PDB file of all heavy atoms in Angstrom:
ATOM      1  N   ALA P  28     107.843  83.680  97.309  1.00 86.00           N
ATOM      2  CA  ALA P  28     107.457  82.268  97.197  1.00 86.00           C
ATOM      3  C   ALA P  28     105.961  82.134  96.922  1.00 86.00           C
ATOM      4  O   ALA P  28     105.508  81.104  96.417  1.00 86.00           O
ATOM      5  CB  ALA P  28     107.838  81.508  98.461  1.00 86.00           C
ATOM      6  N   ALA P  29     105.204  83.183  97.261  1.00 87.00           N
ATOM      7  CA  ALA P  29     103.744  83.136  97.083  1.00 87.00           C
ATOM      8  C   ALA P  29     103.307  83.474  95.660  1.00 87.00           C
ATOM      9  O   ALA P  29     102.142  83.277  95.302  1.00 87.00           O
ATOM     10  CB  ALA P  29     103.072  84.102  98.053  1.00 87.00           C
ATOM     11  N   PHE P  30     104.236  83.965  94.829  1.00 89.00           N
ATOM     12  CA  PHE P  30     103.884  84.413  93.483  1.00 89.00           C
ATOM     13  C   PHE P  30     103.369  83.233  92.656  1.00 89.00           C
ATOM     14  O   PHE P  30     104.006  82.192  92.553  1.00 89.00           O
ATOM     15  CB  PHE P  30     105.102  85.016  92.799  1.00 89.00           C
ATOM     16  CG  PHE P  30     104.785  85.623  91.456  1.00 89.00           C
ATOM     17  CD1 PHE P  30     104.259  86.896  91.360  1.00 89.00           C
ATOM     18  CD2 PHE P  30     105.017  84.922  90.280  1.00 89.00           C
ATOM     19  CE1 PHE P  30     103.991  87.473  90.126  1.00 89.00           C
ATOM     20  CE2 PHE P  30     104.735  85.470  89.040  1.00 89.00           C
ATOM     21  CZ  PHE P  30     104.213  86.754  88.975  1.00 89.00           C
ATOM     22  N   GLY P  31     102.173  83.399  92.082  1.00 87.00           N
ATOM     23  CA  GLY P  31     101.594  82.381  91.230  1.00 87.00           C
ATOM     24  C   GLY P  31     100.969  81.216  91.992  1.00 87.00           C
ATOM     25  O   GLY P  31     100.419  80.304  91.383  1.00 87.00           O
ATOM     26  N   LYS P  32     101.022  81.265  93.327  1.00 89.00           N
ATOM     27  CA  LYS P  32     100.484  80.150  94.130  1.00 89.00           C
ATOM     28  C   LYS P  32      99.425  80.632  95.107  1.00 89.00           C
ATOM     29  O   LYS P  32      99.081  79.920  96.039  1.00 89.00           O
ATOM     30  CB  LYS P  32     101.619  79.477  94.910  1.00 89.00           C
ATOM     31  CG  LYS P  32     102.774  78.978  94.059  1.00 89.00           C
ATOM     32  CD  LYS P  32     103.924  78.498  94.923  1.00 89.00           C
ATOM     33  CE  LYS P  32     105.130  78.122  94.072  1.00 89.00           C
ATOM     34  NZ  LYS P  32     106.312  77.771  94.917  1.00 89.00           N
ATOM     35  N   THR P  33      98.956  81.846  94.907  1.00 89.00           N
ATOM     36  CA  THR P  33      98.067  82.471  95.874  1.00 89.00           C
ATOM     37  C   THR P  33      96.800  82.972  95.182  1.00 89.00           C
ATOM     38  O   THR P  33      96.864  83.445  94.036  1.00 89.00           O
ATOM     39  CB  THR P  33      98.778  83.660  96.549  1.00 89.00           C
ATOM     40  OG1 THR P  33      99.972  83.200  97.163  1.00 89.00           O
ATOM     41  CG2 THR P  33      97.889  84.323  97.602  1.00 89.00           C
ATOM     42  N   ASN P  34      95.697  82.880  95.871  1.00 93.00           N
ATOM     43  CA  ASN P  34      94.455  83.490  95.404  1.00 93.00           C
ATOM     44  C   ASN P  34      94.495  84.957  95.846  1.00 93.00           C
ATOM     45  O   ASN P  34      94.182  85.288  96.985  1.00 93.00           O
ATOM     46  CB  ASN P  34      93.247  82.779  96.002  1.00 93.00           C
ATOM     47  CG  ASN P  34      91.921  83.329  95.474  1.00 93.00           C
ATOM     48  OD1 ASN P  34      91.816  84.504  95.158  1.00 93.00           O
ATOM     49  ND2 ASN P  34      90.922  82.462  95.396  1.00 93.00           N
ATOM     50  N   TYR P  35      94.942  85.830  94.941  1.00 94.00           N
ATOM     51  CA  TYR P  35      95.173  87.228  95.322  1.00 94.00           C
ATOM     52  C   TYR P  35      93.892  87.935  95.688  1.00 94.00           C
ATOM     53  O   TYR P  35      93.884  88.807  96.578  1.00 94.00           O
ATOM     54  CB  TYR P  35      95.876  87.963  94.158  1.00 94.00           C
ATOM     55  CG  TYR P  35      97.160  87.316  93.711  1.00 94.00           C
ATOM     56  CD1 TYR P  35      97.281  86.760  92.446  1.00 94.00           C
ATOM     57  CD2 TYR P  35      98.264  87.249  94.583  1.00 94.00           C
ATOM     58  CE1 TYR P  35      98.458  86.158  92.032  1.00 94.00           C
ATOM     59  CE2 TYR P  35      99.439  86.647  94.176  1.00 94.00           C
ATOM     60  CZ  TYR P  35      99.530  86.095  92.900  1.00 94.00           C
ATOM     61  OH  TYR P  35     100.703  85.499  92.496  1.00 94.00           O
ATOM     62  N   ARG P  36      92.791  87.591  95.040  1.00 95.00           N
ATOM     63  CA  ARG P  36      91.526  88.249  95.361  1.00 95.00           C
ATOM     64  C   ARG P  36      91.078  87.896  96.782  1.00 95.00           C
ATOM     65  O   ARG P  36      90.633  88.759  97.527  1.00 95.00           O
ATOM     66  CB  ARG P  36      90.461  87.843  94.338  1.00 95.00           C
ATOM     67  CG  ARG P  36      90.696  88.463  92.961  1.00 95.00           C
ATOM     68  CD  ARG P  36      89.844  87.824  91.880  1.00 95.00           C
ATOM     69  NE  ARG P  36      89.925  88.546  90.617  1.00 95.00           N
ATOM     70  CZ  ARG P  36      90.938  88.450  89.769  1.00 95.00           C
ATOM     71  NH1 ARG P  36      91.969  87.656  90.061  1.00 95.00           N
ATOM     72  NH2 ARG P  36      90.958  89.141  88.645  1.00 95.00           N
ATOM     73  N   ARG P  37      91.239  86.635  97.149  1.00 95.00           N
ATOM     74  CA  ARG P  37      90.906  86.232  98.510  1.00 95.00           C
ATOM     75  C   ARG P  37      91.849  86.894  99.514  1.00 95.00           C
ATOM     76  O   ARG P  37      91.421  87.307 100.599  1.00 95.00           O
ATOM     77  CB  ARG P  37      90.964  84.712  98.656  1.00 95.00           C
ATOM     78  CG  ARG P  37      90.754  84.236 100.083  1.00 95.00           C
ATOM     79  CD  ARG P  37      90.487  82.741 100.218  1.00 95.00           C
ATOM     80  NE  ARG P  37      90.460  82.331 101.590  1.00 95.00           N
ATOM     81  CZ  ARG P  37      89.466  82.584 102.442  1.00 95.00           C
ATOM     82  NH1 ARG P  37      88.422  83.274 102.041  1.00 95.00           N
ATOM     83  NH2 ARG P  37      89.520  82.178 103.678  1.00 95.00           N
ATOM     84  N   MET P  38      93.123  87.019  99.142  1.00 95.00           N
ATOM     85  CA  MET P  38      94.087  87.648 100.032  1.00 95.00           C
ATOM     86  C   MET P  38      93.713  89.110 100.298  1.00 95.00           C
ATOM     87  O   MET P  38      93.852  89.616 101.415  1.00 95.00           O
ATOM     88  CB  MET P  38      95.483  87.558  99.426  1.00 95.00           C
ATOM     89  CG  MET P  38      96.574  87.939 100.402  1.00 95.00           C
ATOM     90  SD  MET P  38      98.217  87.455  99.816  1.00 95.00           S
ATOM     91  CE  MET P  38      98.532  88.749  98.623  1.00 95.00           C
ATOM     92  N   LEU P  39      93.198  89.801  99.266  1.00 96.00           N
ATOM     93  CA  LEU P  39      92.779  91.180  99.455  1.00 96.00           C
ATOM     94  C   LEU P  39      91.659  91.278 100.467  1.00 96.00           C
ATOM     95  O   LEU P  39      91.684  92.126 101.370  1.00 96.00           O
ATOM     96  CB  LEU P  39      92.347  91.786  98.109  1.00 96.00           C
ATOM     97  CG  LEU P  39      91.854  93.232  98.150  1.00 96.00           C
ATOM     98  CD1 LEU P  39      92.976  94.177  98.571  1.00 96.00           C
ATOM     99  CD2 LEU P  39      91.292  93.658  96.788  1.00 96.00           C
ATOM    100  N   THR P  40      90.643  90.427 100.351  1.00 95.00           N
ATOM    101  CA  THR P  40      89.529  90.489 101.284  1.00 95.00           C
ATOM    102  C   THR P  40      89.952  90.052 102.688  1.00 95.00           C
ATOM    103  O   THR P  40      89.421  90.562 103.682  1.00 95.00           O
ATOM    104  CB  THR P  40      88.340  89.627 100.800  1.00 95.00           C
ATOM    105  OG1 THR P  40      88.786  88.275 100.608  1.00 95.00           O
ATOM    106  CG2 THR P  40      87.799  90.150  99.489  1.00 95.00           C
ATOM    107  N   GLU P  41      90.928  89.146 102.779  1.00 95.00           N
ATOM    108  CA  GLU P  41      91.460  88.751 104.104  1.00 95.00           C
ATOM    109  C   GLU P  41      92.117  89.944 104.776  1.00 95.00           C
ATOM    110  O   GLU P  41      91.883  90.209 105.957  1.00 95.00           O
ATOM    111  CB  GLU P  41      92.472  87.628 103.947  1.00 95.00           C
ATOM    112  CG  GLU P  41      91.890  86.229 103.868  1.00 95.00           C
ATOM    113  CD  GLU P  41      92.989  85.172 104.042  1.00 95.00           C
ATOM    114  OE1 GLU P  41      93.661  85.187 105.091  1.00 95.00           O
ATOM    115  OE2 GLU P  41      93.157  84.369 103.111  1.00 95.00           O
ATOM    116  N   TRP P  42      92.954  90.658 104.039  1.00 95.00           N
ATOM    117  CA  TRP P  42      93.640  91.831 104.611  1.00 95.00           C
ATOM    118  C   TRP P  42      92.608  92.889 105.024  1.00 95.00           C
ATOM    119  O   TRP P  42      92.667  93.428 106.132  1.00 95.00           O
ATOM    120  CB  TRP P  42      94.632  92.390 103.602  1.00 95.00           C
ATOM    121  CG  TRP P  42      95.141  93.772 103.950  1.00 95.00           C
ATOM    122  CD1 TRP P  42      95.552  94.208 105.190  1.00 95.00           C
ATOM    123  CD2 TRP P  42      95.235  94.890 103.081  1.00 95.00           C
ATOM    124  NE1 TRP P  42      95.935  95.530 105.106  1.00 95.00           N
ATOM    125  CE2 TRP P  42      95.755  95.970 103.846  1.00 95.00           C
ATOM    126  CE3 TRP P  42      94.985  95.068 101.711  1.00 95.00           C
ATOM    127  CZ2 TRP P  42      95.996  97.227 103.277  1.00 95.00           C
ATOM    128  CZ3 TRP P  42      95.242  96.314 101.165  1.00 95.00           C
ATOM    129  CH2 TRP P  42      95.731  97.391 101.937  1.00 95.00           C
ATOM    130  N   LEU P  43      91.673  93.187 104.146  1.00 96.00           N
ATOM    131  CA  LEU P  43      90.690  94.224 104.457  1.00 96.00           C
ATOM    132  C   LEU P  43      89.786  93.825 105.615  1.00 96.00           C
ATOM    133  O   LEU P  43      89.263  94.684 106.317  1.00 96.00           O
ATOM    134  CB  LEU P  43      89.861  94.525 103.204  1.00 96.00           C
ATOM    135  CG  LEU P  43      90.643  95.126 102.031  1.00 96.00           C
ATOM    136  CD1 LEU P  43      89.744  95.397 100.852  1.00 96.00           C
ATOM    137  CD2 LEU P  43      91.365  96.407 102.449  1.00 96.00           C
ATOM    138  N   GLY P  44      89.632  92.519 105.830  1.00 93.00           N
ATOM    139  CA  GLY P  44      88.854  92.064 106.968  1.00 93.00           C
ATOM    140  C   GLY P  44      89.470  92.437 108.296  1.00 93.00           C
ATOM    141  O   GLY P  44      88.783  92.452 109.332  1.00 93.00           O
ATOM    142  N   ALA P  45      90.768  92.752 108.282  1.00 92.00           N
ATOM    143  CA  ALA P  45      91.469  93.127 109.518  1.00 92.00           C
ATOM    144  C   ALA P  45      91.547  94.645 109.700  1.00 92.00           C
ATOM    145  O   ALA P  45      92.098  95.119 110.698  1.00 92.00           O
ATOM    146  CB  ALA P  45      92.872  92.534 109.502  1.00 92.00           C
ATOM    147  N   THR P  46      91.022  95.427 108.755  1.00 94.00           N
ATOM    148  CA  THR P  46      91.071  96.875 108.866  1.00 94.00           C
ATOM    149  C   THR P  46      89.933  97.369 109.767  1.00 94.00           C
ATOM    150  O   THR P  46      88.928  96.676 109.962  1.00 94.00           O
ATOM    151  CB  THR P  46      90.976  97.554 107.485  1.00 94.00           C
ATOM    152  OG1 THR P  46      89.754  97.162 106.840  1.00 94.00           O
ATOM    153  CG2 THR P  46      92.169  97.175 106.617  1.00 94.00           C
ATOM    154  N   PRO P  47      90.040  98.587 110.340  1.00 94.00           N
ATOM    155  CA  PRO P  47      89.002  99.097 111.229  1.00 94.00           C
ATOM    156  C   PRO P  47      87.623  99.132 110.574  1.00 94.00           C
ATOM    157  O   PRO P  47      87.516  99.565 109.416  1.00 94.00           O
ATOM    158  CB  PRO P  47      89.506 100.508 111.556  1.00 94.00           C
ATOM    159  CG  PRO P  47      90.992 100.457 111.378  1.00 94.00           C
ATOM    160  CD  PRO P  47      91.208  99.502 110.241  1.00 94.00           C
ATOM    161  N   PRO P  48      86.579  98.729 111.286  1.00 94.00           N
ATOM    162  CA  PRO P  48      85.232  98.686 110.709  1.00 94.00           C
ATOM    163  C   PRO P  48      84.763 100.036 110.176  1.00 94.00           C
ATOM    164  O   PRO P  48      84.039 100.121 109.174  1.00 94.00           O
ATOM    165  CB  PRO P  48      84.360  98.217 111.877  1.00 94.00           C
ATOM    166  CG  PRO P  48      85.291  97.494 112.782  1.00 94.00           C
ATOM    167  CD  PRO P  48      86.612  98.166 112.649  1.00 94.00           C
ATOM    168  N   GLU P  49      85.191 101.143 110.842  1.00 96.00           N
ATOM    169  CA  GLU P  49      84.729 102.458 110.421  1.00 96.00           C
ATOM    170  C   GLU P  49      85.268 102.871 109.055  1.00 96.00           C
ATOM    171  O   GLU P  49      84.754 103.802 108.424  1.00 96.00           O
ATOM    172  CB  GLU P  49      85.101 103.535 111.471  1.00 96.00           C
ATOM    173  CG  GLU P  49      86.587 103.697 111.743  1.00 96.00           C
ATOM    174  CD  GLU P  49      87.081 102.795 112.874  1.00 96.00           C
ATOM    175  OE1 GLU P  49      86.405 101.777 113.166  1.00 96.00           O
ATOM    176  OE2 GLU P  49      88.130 103.125 113.467  1.00 96.00           O
ATOM    177  N   TRP P  50      86.293 102.173 108.557  1.00 96.00           N
ATOM    178  CA  TRP P  50      86.790 102.460 107.207  1.00 96.00           C
ATOM    179  C   TRP P  50      85.844 101.909 106.136  1.00 96.00           C
ATOM    180  O   TRP P  50      85.873 102.361 105.000  1.00 96.00           O
ATOM    181  CB  TRP P  50      88.172 101.867 107.002  1.00 96.00           C
ATOM    182  CG  TRP P  50      89.254 102.524 107.793  1.00 96.00           C
ATOM    183  CD1 TRP P  50      89.115 103.542 108.711  1.00 96.00           C
ATOM    184  CD2 TRP P  50      90.664 102.211 107.783  1.00 96.00           C
ATOM    185  NE1 TRP P  50      90.331 103.878 109.262  1.00 96.00           N
ATOM    186  CE2 TRP P  50      91.298 103.074 108.699  1.00 96.00           C
ATOM    187  CE3 TRP P  50      91.417 101.277 107.081  1.00 96.00           C
ATOM    188  CZ2 TRP P  50      92.666 103.024 108.922  1.00 96.00           C
ATOM    189  CZ3 TRP P  50      92.783 101.231 107.293  1.00 96.00           C
ATOM    190  CH2 TRP P  50      93.394 102.103 108.206  1.00 96.00           C
ATOM    191  N   GLY P  51      85.057 100.919 106.503  1.00 95.00           N
ATOM    192  CA  GLY P  51      84.059 100.381 105.577  1.00 95.00           C
ATOM    193  C   GLY P  51      84.589  99.417 104.539  1.00 95.00           C
ATOM    194  O   GLY P  51      83.873  99.020 103.620  1.00 95.00           O
ATOM    195  N   MET P  52      85.864  98.993 104.675  1.00 96.00           N
ATOM    196  CA  MET P  52      86.442  98.133 103.651  1.00 96.00           C
ATOM    197  C   MET P  52      86.390  96.657 103.995  1.00 96.00           C
ATOM    198  O   MET P  52      86.857  95.824 103.212  1.00 96.00           O
ATOM    199  CB  MET P  52      87.909  98.565 103.396  1.00 96.00           C
ATOM    200  CG  MET P  52      87.978  99.910 102.684  1.00 96.00           C
ATOM    201  SD  MET P  52      89.669 100.506 102.493  1.00 96.00           S
ATOM    202  CE  MET P  52      89.989 101.231 104.082  1.00 96.00           C
ATOM    203  N   ASN P  53      85.808  96.344 105.143  1.00 91.00           N
ATOM    204  CA  ASN P  53      85.588  94.925 105.476  1.00 91.00           C
ATOM    205  C   ASN P  53      84.113  94.561 105.376  1.00 91.00           C
ATOM    206  O   ASN P  53      83.679  93.538 105.886  1.00 91.00           O
ATOM    207  CB  ASN P  53      86.147  94.598 106.872  1.00 91.00           C
ATOM    208  CG  ASN P  53      85.609  95.547 107.938  1.00 91.00           C
ATOM    209  OD1 ASN P  53      84.623  96.237 107.699  1.00 91.00           O
ATOM    210  ND2 ASN P  53      86.268  95.581 109.084  1.00 91.00           N
ATOM    211  N   ASP P  54      83.365  95.434 104.689  1.00 92.00           N
ATOM    212  CA  ASP P  54      81.934  95.211 104.483  1.00 92.00           C
ATOM    213  C   ASP P  54      81.680  95.129 102.978  1.00 92.00           C
ATOM    214  O   ASP P  54      81.862  96.098 102.236  1.00 92.00           O
ATOM    215  CB  ASP P  54      81.141  96.369 105.097  1.00 92.00           C
ATOM    216  CG  ASP P  54      79.632  96.152 105.034  1.00 92.00           C
ATOM    217  OD1 ASP P  54      79.185  95.250 104.287  1.00 92.00           O
ATOM    218  OD2 ASP P  54      78.910  96.889 105.713  1.00 92.00           O
ATOM    219  N   GLU P  55      81.267  93.951 102.516  1.00 94.00           N
ATOM    220  CA  GLU P  55      81.043  93.727 101.092  1.00 94.00           C
ATOM    221  C   GLU P  55      80.038  94.694 100.504  1.00 94.00           C
ATOM    222  O   GLU P  55      80.091  95.035  99.315  1.00 94.00           O
ATOM    223  CB  GLU P  55      80.580  92.276 100.880  1.00 94.00           C
ATOM    224  CG  GLU P  55      80.489  91.836  99.428  1.00 94.00           C
ATOM    225  CD  GLU P  55      81.839  91.665  98.746  1.00 94.00           C
ATOM    226  OE1 GLU P  55      82.861  91.596  99.461  1.00 94.00           O
ATOM    227  OE2 GLU P  55      81.862  91.619  97.494  1.00 94.00           O
ATOM    228  N   ALA P  56      79.128  95.185 101.352  1.00 95.00           N
ATOM    229  CA  ALA P  56      78.101  96.110 100.873  1.00 95.00           C
ATOM    230  C   ALA P  56      78.701  97.431 100.384  1.00 95.00           C
ATOM    231  O   ALA P  56      78.075  98.150  99.606  1.00 95.00           O
ATOM    232  CB  ALA P  56      77.070  96.374 101.974  1.00 95.00           C
ATOM    233  N   ASN P  57      79.901  97.760 100.855  1.00 97.00           N
ATOM    234  CA  ASN P  57      80.543  99.006 100.459  1.00 97.00           C
ATOM    235  C   ASN P  57      81.407  98.875  99.203  1.00 97.00           C
ATOM    236  O   ASN P  57      81.965  99.871  98.730  1.00 97.00           O
ATOM    237  CB  ASN P  57      81.426  99.544 101.604  1.00 97.00           C
ATOM    238  CG  ASN P  57      80.599  99.977 102.798  1.00 97.00           C
ATOM    239  OD1 ASN P  57      79.482 100.462 102.635  1.00 97.00           O
ATOM    240  ND2 ASN P  57      81.137  99.802 103.987  1.00 97.00           N
ATOM    241  N   ALA P  58      81.541  97.663  98.703  1.00 97.00           N
ATOM    242  CA  ALA P  58      82.363  97.440  97.500  1.00 97.00           C
ATOM    243  C   ALA P  58      81.727  98.129  96.294  1.00 97.00           C
ATOM    244  O   ALA P  58      80.516  98.079  96.110  1.00 97.00           O
ATOM    245  CB  ALA P  58      82.538  95.952  97.240  1.00 97.00           C
ATOM    246  N   ASP P  59      82.543  98.767  95.486  1.00 96.00           N
ATOM    247  CA  ASP P  59      82.076  99.449  94.273  1.00 96.00           C
ATOM    248  C   ASP P  59      82.760  98.783  93.086  1.00 96.00           C
ATOM    249  O   ASP P  59      83.813  99.228  92.629  1.00 96.00           O
ATOM    250  CB  ASP P  59      82.425 100.926  94.361  1.00 96.00           C
ATOM    251  CG  ASP P  59      81.834 101.733  93.216  1.00 96.00           C
ATOM    252  OD1 ASP P  59      81.284 101.129  92.273  1.00 96.00           O
ATOM    253  OD2 ASP P  59      81.932 102.977  93.238  1.00 96.00           O
ATOM    254  N   GLY P  60      82.162  97.714  92.586  1.00 95.00           N
ATOM    255  CA  GLY P  60      82.735  96.992  91.451  1.00 95.00           C
ATOM    256  C   GLY P  60      83.520  95.761  91.889  1.00 95.00           C
ATOM    257  O   GLY P  60      83.751  95.532  93.078  1.00 95.00           O
ATOM    258  N   PRO P  61      83.957  94.966  90.937  1.00 96.00           N
ATOM    259  CA  PRO P  61      84.662  93.723  91.236  1.00 96.00           C
ATOM    260  C   PRO P  61      86.124  93.943  91.560  1.00 96.00           C
ATOM    261  O   PRO P  61      86.671  95.032  91.369  1.00 96.00           O
ATOM    262  CB  PRO P  61      84.527  92.933  89.923  1.00 96.00           C
ATOM    263  CG  PRO P  61      84.509  94.000  88.884  1.00 96.00           C
ATOM    264  CD  PRO P  61      83.765  95.176  89.485  1.00 96.00           C
ATOM    265  N   ILE P  62      86.784  92.901  92.073  1.00 97.00           N
ATOM    266  CA  ILE P  62      88.234  92.897  92.231  1.00 97.00           C
ATOM    267  C   ILE P  62      88.845  92.568  90.866  1.00 97.00           C
ATOM    268  O   ILE P  62      88.507  91.562  90.261  1.00 97.00           O
ATOM    269  CB  ILE P  62      88.676  91.855  93.275  1.00 97.00           C
ATOM    270  CG1 ILE P  62      88.071  92.159  94.646  1.00 97.00           C
ATOM    271  CG2 ILE P  62      90.200  91.807  93.379  1.00 97.00           C
ATOM    272  CD1 ILE P  62      88.343  91.095  95.689  1.00 97.00           C
ATOM    273  N   LEU P  63      89.725  93.434  90.393  1.00 96.00           N
ATOM    274  CA  LEU P  63      90.351  93.249  89.092  1.00 96.00           C
ATOM    275  C   LEU P  63      91.874  93.166  89.273  1.00 96.00           C
ATOM    276  O   LEU P  63      92.419  93.763  90.203  1.00 96.00           O
ATOM    277  CB  LEU P  63      90.008  94.397  88.155  1.00 96.00           C
ATOM    278  CG  LEU P  63      88.514  94.575  87.816  1.00 96.00           C
ATOM    279  CD1 LEU P  63      88.299  95.815  86.960  1.00 96.00           C
ATOM    280  CD2 LEU P  63      87.970  93.329  87.120  1.00 96.00           C
ATOM    281  N   GLY P  64      92.541  92.432  88.382  1.00 96.00           N
ATOM    282  CA  GLY P  64      93.975  92.255  88.500  1.00 96.00           C
ATOM    283  C   GLY P  64      94.715  92.588  87.227  1.00 96.00           C
ATOM    284  O   GLY P  64      94.125  92.638  86.140  1.00 96.00           O
ATOM    285  N   ALA P  65      96.018  92.803  87.362  1.00 94.00           N
ATOM    286  CA  ALA P  65      96.871  93.083  86.209  1.00 94.00           C
ATOM    287  C   ALA P  65      98.305  92.752  86.552  1.00 94.00           C
ATOM    288  O   ALA P  65      98.685  92.714  87.733  1.00 94.00           O
ATOM    289  CB  ALA P  65      96.771  94.558  85.799  1.00 94.00           C
ATOM    290  N   ALA P  66      99.118  92.494  85.528  1.00 94.00           N
ATOM    291  CA  ALA P  66     100.538  92.243  85.707  1.00 94.00           C
ATOM    292  C   ALA P  66     101.297  93.573  85.680  1.00 94.00           C
ATOM    293  O   ALA P  66     100.848  94.557  85.102  1.00 94.00           O
ATOM    294  CB  ALA P  66     101.056  91.331  84.606  1.00 94.00           C
ATOM    295  N   LEU P  67     102.470  93.570  86.342  1.00 95.00           N
ATOM    296  CA  LEU P  67     103.322  94.747  86.383  1.00 95.00           C
ATOM    297  C   LEU P  67     104.690  94.374  85.786  1.00 95.00           C
ATOM    298  O   LEU P  67     105.535  93.786  86.459  1.00 95.00           O
ATOM    299  CB  LEU P  67     103.507  95.225  87.831  1.00 95.00           C
ATOM    300  CG  LEU P  67     102.229  95.583  88.610  1.00 95.00           C
ATOM    301  CD1 LEU P  67     102.578  95.875  90.065  1.00 95.00           C
ATOM    302  CD2 LEU P  67     101.536  96.773  87.984  1.00 95.00           C
TER     303      LEU P  67
END
């Protein structure tokens, strides 16, 4: 039901915000490049 009605880039950062801090994926400073999308 969420297909086409969701900000997928925001959803990615929301999920990563809940990951352990030592993984470094909830810190924008560790990002290497932009969030990119594609169809499957």
Side-chain angles (χ1 to χ4, degrees):
F30 186 82
K32 304 172 185 175
T33 302
N34 184 329
Y35 304 115
R36 288 167 172 78
R37 175 166 173 74
M38 191 167 78
L39 179 64
T40 57
E41 276 193 59
W42 166 45
L43 296 180
T46 59
E49 60 270 21
W50 291 3
M52 290 175 278
N53 53 17
D54 185 346
E55 188 70 16
N57 292 327
D59 186 352
I62 299 174
L63 299 175
L67 303 173

